[in-house]
Amino acid sequence: MSLLLGQLEPLIASFFEQDVTGHDLEHAVRVKNLALYIAKREGGDQKIIEIAALVHDVFDWKFKTGSDNRVLNYLKDHLSDEELSHVLQIANSISFKGALTEVPRLTLEGMIVQDADRLDAIGAMGVARAFAYGGHKGQKMYDPAIEVQTHHNFSEYQKKQSTSINHFYEKLLRLKDLMNTETAKGIAERRHQFMQRFLTEFLLEWHQEEFV
Ligand code: ADP
Ligand code: NI
């Protein structure tokens, strides 16, 4: 591990220390590893990909606390101006702000980090993170009375009441078709099928259909 990354990871760990929403150092490291795996097949600047993957959630709208400054200062000290602006541009543009929100054009490095982040939101990891996030938010696992929402912009997406199961229909099942790279599409396929199996089983047990 390079010196640069060796010092960056503990900073990110302390940033996410209190987080139980599925954002933690482990998520950042999984995204980094997925992104580097994709990059081996698709190309791109490894240093930018590695760092952007590690910091991609640090500047997210959901946890603007000011504690992101230490990470930012660290990046300023260790990257050229051009590298810093590329990393920040990736971090700012990949977070999902609702299905219909226009997103800026991504560089190859940005596409790869976005794919890696989306892959970690689906499959078994996606299931676990959806319920961890829902529990933290105090939202129900499922409620047939709460309809799956469609949203028209970012502020609607932020406000609407949901359940963790609805989140699959509102976001997670869409991600497979939003992958940028062929490598990520391949990985997404299996993870998508697993989520579908999970949902079928969940709804079967919810409605207790296995007894009838
Ligand atoms: P990411 O790290 O992919 O940018 P987000 O910040 O959007 O993810 O969300 C963190 C995790 O919480 C993801 O796994 C996401 O699927 C999940 N999540 C986000 N919103 C909800 C929700 N309303 N209900 C359940 N899970 C959610
Ligand atoms: Ni993320």
Side-chain angles (χ1 to χ4, degrees):
M1 188 192 295
S2 67
L3 186 61
L4 172 71
L5 289 170
Q7 291 168 339
L8 185 54
E9 289 191 10
L11 266 187
I12 291 169
S14 73
F15 176 78
F16 287 130
E17 215 155 44
Q18 305 298 324
D19 191 277
V20 287
T21 64
H23 287 104
D24 43 31
L25 178 67
E26 288 80 4
H27 166 64
V29 170
R30 283 194 305 271
V31 172
K32 179 193 81 173
N33 291 334
L34 278 163
L36 289 176
Y37 174 85
I38 297 168
K40 252 194 242 153
R41 283 146 188 86
E42 308 275 345
D45 180 329
Q46 278 208 18
K47 180 180 176 190
I48 296 290
I49 289 170
E50 198 161 3
I51 293 172
L54 276 176
V55 305
H56 78 275
D57 275 329
V58 168
F59 311 107
D60 197 289
W61 57 275
K62 287 193 211 68
F63 13 75
K64 277 280 163 233
T65 59
S67 61
D68 45 349
N69 280 340
R70 278 168 66 208
V71 177
L72 186 59
N73 287 338
Y74 185 85
L75 296 182
K76 279 183 185 156
D77 288 345
H78 291 85
L79 298 178
S80 69
D81 288 352
E82 198 189 328
E83 286 171 334
L84 178 67
S85 83
H86 193 176
V87 164
L88 292 181
Q89 185 236 327
I90 294 172
N92 288 330
S93 52
I94 68 167
S95 61
F96 184 89
K97 303 221 164 50
L100 302 169
T101 308
E102 201 153 326
V103 284
R105 252 187 94 75
L106 287 169
T107 57
L108 173 62
E109 289 78 9
M111 288 185 205
I112 289 174
V113 177
Q114 183 179 57
D115 279 356
D117 191 32
R118 286 176 167 170
L119 285 172
D120 203 53
I122 63 176
M125 209 53 74
V127 171
R129 292 179 74 214
F131 290 99
Y133 183 98
H136 171 70
K137 284 279 184 179
Q139 97 190 353
K140 286 178 151 183
M141 289 199 298
Y142 180 49
D143 182 345
I146 301 176
E147 282 176 25
V148 170
Q149 307 283 349
T150 48
H151 45 265
H152 297 98
N153 55 46
F154 181 42
S155 86
E156 273 185 34
Y157 175 65
Q158 276 178 298
K159 273 187 229 136
K160 294 230 162 154
Q161 187 189 22
S162 188
T163 67
S164 291
I165 289 293
N166 284 11
H167 185 62
F168 287 84
Y169 297 97
E170 289 160 4
K171 174 178 172 184
L172 304 182
L173 292 172
R174 300 178 189 213
L175 294 181
K176 170 176 78 77
D177 294 328
L178 295 176
M179 295 296 162
N180 304 297
T181 64
E182 290 305 313
T183 307
K185 280 179 199 162
I187 303 171
E189 200 55 55
R190 212 190 73 207
R191 294 184 179 209
H192 184 85
Q193 281 171 21
F194 175 79
M195 287 194 297
Q196 285 183 313
R197 285 214 318 277
F198 166 77
L199 288 169
T200 304
E201 189 65 23
F202 182 96
L203 294 171
L204 186 94
E205 292 179 20
W206 181 276
H207 296 291
Q208 304 202 306
E209 283 166 8
E210 75 263 54
F211 302 149
V212 290

